Amino acid sequence: MSLLDRARAGDRRAVSRLLTLLDAAGPGGHPAVAEALRRRDRALVVGLTGPPGVGKSTLTSALIAEFRRRDRRVAVLCVDPSSPLTGGALLGDRIRMQRHVGDGGVFVRSMASRGHLGGLSAGTPAAVRVMEAAGFDVVLVETVGVGQSEVEIAALADTTAVVLAPGTGDAVQIAKAGVLEIGDVYVVNKADRPGAARIVRDLNAMTALNTASARPPVITTVATEDEGTAALVDELVARGIRRDGPTAVADVEYVEDEAALLALYGDAAAPAAHNGHSGLDARARDWLAAAALCLLATADAAGRCAVSPRGAARVLDDRTLVLPDGPGGRLDAHRDVLANPRVGLLFLVPGRRDALRVGGRARIVARAPYLAGLGADGEPAPSAIQVAVDEVVLYERWLPDAF
Amino acid sequence: MRRVRVVIAKPGLDGHDRGAKVVARALRDAGLEVIYTGLHQTPEQIVETAIQEGADAIGLSLLSGAHMTLVPRVLDLLAAADAADVAVFCGGIIPPDDIDALTGLGIVRIFTPSSSVEEIIAWARAELRPLEVAE
Ligand SMILES: Nc1nc2c(ncn2[C@@H]2O[C@H](COP(=O)(O)OP(=O)(O)O)[C@@H](O)[C@H]2O)c(=O)[nH]1
Ligand SMILES: [Mg+2]
């Protein structure tokens, strides 16, 4: 019997070995793991996230008990941060779950985040897939969540439960940290403690503002007493398995550095970035004279990018060009340029398969002789974006024929 | 290479896990991934935990005086689970005669209350390695 067959038959050592092989060699590193990841089994995947100490692990244990009452096989992945100094980790979530350790229908695995941003560890999505392939009906994923970084759990889980409790920061503070944006369900745990009712009230007030999507329910629990957990499980089951395919993000392996990138493409592809000509030579100027469309890429101070369409550029000299305003009248690009002068431009000519890329630094010009003829219908323009050119790159035969 | 994973467990009935927590933190500082299981663990729970967690080593904190029954039981259960390659080390108040007996059974290292945290870290760094994963 293969390792995966044994795992599917309920051999917990086989499940554990699949997870360890995944850890040691990555998603594609071992045939048994690759086989598991190719399967299309689906489990109900539930993310539990929230600040430290609210009772996520205790609640996870109570949920295990409730799902077991309903005869479901339950896998749990508990993700805790690694120490940034030593890379070691102290994983203590399962202390709260040890009552289930002799139950053959329960499997708990602790994972260290290994410095991976986003609340999960890089291996968590694939570990969820392994658990699904091993035949578990439910996969619970516990992660510490105190900020916006927890969107990854929302992408992985069918339902993400944000867990709060009295005494760990009020709901308004937590809303500011962004955790509230990812919750499909809110759990107010430690409902036996004073302050729980206030959190429920605050949460209801906040979710009432949420007009874009269905209002997330707020469920109160006392995890230490198994109170409210049946109602929570009812809600999770009713919401069901929502993802179209088996945990789509699980099959993904990311490139994290340039060495990994070159391993995929080879050195030949390497020198493309930021090494073009540094000025507008005759060829580039001819090209720009023909270009009718320019796409202007800008970024704000935080690095959030946007692209906006412009018309033809005017070349001032071999290091400077000017972009007139478009007819749209939006000032997004202008605002970005004020915060961050770096811009990228892509010039296109309909019917031609090449494209010209220009990188540089932009300023907004309020008064200059050339503004006189730049406005609509030959009127003077209120301003223009002037670009000091740092690099010029021609992409030859790059666009599809039909363009 | 993946990181060493170690389960720290506190078998027996006494309610002191201060020492176990100190060791758990020391091993984390040595760069290991430490799974801490809390108080009052039975040998069955400890071995099952080590299997689920894919542990390369188990550290047992023993203060109750029951080490001569608990430790052999853990080793037997590991062998029965086809996991005899998991390194088992102990810490606690263990008389010299028992240290010899436990070493004879296959315990890889025994720390006493006089062992320093630095000593434990140095040992873990030098001696503990990720196990080969059997098919
Ligand atoms: N009073 C009360 N304490 C709870 C409840 N749930 C958990 N706790 C306690 O809160 C502490 C932290 O729980 P834990 O599950 O480890 O929290 P986590 O850090 O969010 O995983 C523990 O001491 C639990 O016993 C509850 O519903 N009521
Ligand atoms: Mg926890």
Side-chain angles (χ1 to χ4, degrees), chain B residues 2-130:
Chain B
R2 65 185 181 83
R3 286 189 178 268
V4 174
R5 291 169 65 86
V6 53
V7 165
I8 296 294
K10 179 83 189 69
L13 299 176
D14 69 288
H16 300 283
D17 64 350
R18 213 181 65 87
K21 283 181 173 161
V22 169
V23 171
R25 276 193 289 270
L27 295 176
R28 174 199 59 196
D29 294 340
L32 280 66
E33 293 183 352
V34 183
I35 297 103
Y36 185 60
T37 62
L39 291 166
H40 308 312
Q41 298 297 296
T42 64
E44 287 76 8
Q45 283 177 309
I46 293 167
V47 170
E48 176 63 23
T49 298
I51 286 167
Q52 290 184 18
E53 294 288 358
D56 306 296
I58 299 175
L60 299 172
S61 169
L62 298 150
L63 291 172
S64 57
H67 49 268
M68 289 312 290
T69 50
L70 291 170
V71 175
R73 180 96 186 112
V74 168
L75 293 173
D76 288 348
L77 288 166
L78 280 174
D82 195 17
D85 54 346
V86 174
V88 182
F89 60 99
C90 301
I93 305 163
I94 298 172
D97 284 356
D98 293 350
I99 290 182
D100 290 344
L102 293 175
T103 310
L105 290 174
I107 296 295
V108 297
R109 180 72 193 243
I110 295 172
F111 297 101
T112 62
S114 65
S115 308
S116 69
V117 167
E118 291 73 27
E119 187 185 339
I120 297 172
I121 290 179
W123 171 79
R125 283 215 179 106
E127 301 297 332
L128 294 180
R129 291 282 173 272

Side-chain angles (χ1 to χ4, degrees), chain A residues 121-192:
Chain A
S121 96
T124 310
V128 169
R129 276 292 286 286
V130 167
M131 295 305 204
E132 292 184 307
F136 289 95
D137 305 305
V138 178
V139 183
L140 306 176
V141 184
E142 177 187 342
T143 70
V144 178
V146 286
Q148 276 158 336
S149 56
E150 279 61 43
V151 288
E152 276 191 14
I153 185 66
L156 180 63
D158 293 307
T159 295
T160 303
V162 171
V163 187
L164 303 172
T168 51
D170 63 24
V172 177
Q173 266 177 305
I174 292 156
K176 284 192 188 134
V179 183
L180 289 188
E181 278 144 41
I182 62 161
D184 302 308
V185 174
Y186 293 101
V187 179
V188 178
N189 188 40
K190 306 196 188 183
D192 54 327

Side-chain angles (χ1 to χ4, degrees), chain A residues 88-113:
Chain A
L90 187 48
L91 310 170
D93 291 319
R94 70 175 299 144
I95 297 174
R96 316 266 179 232
M97 307 173 196
Q98 285 301 79
R99 65 168 151 144
H100 302 293
V101 86
D103 179 345
V106 179
F107 190 104
V108 178
R109 180 80 160 211
S110 310
M111 303 180 85
S113 68

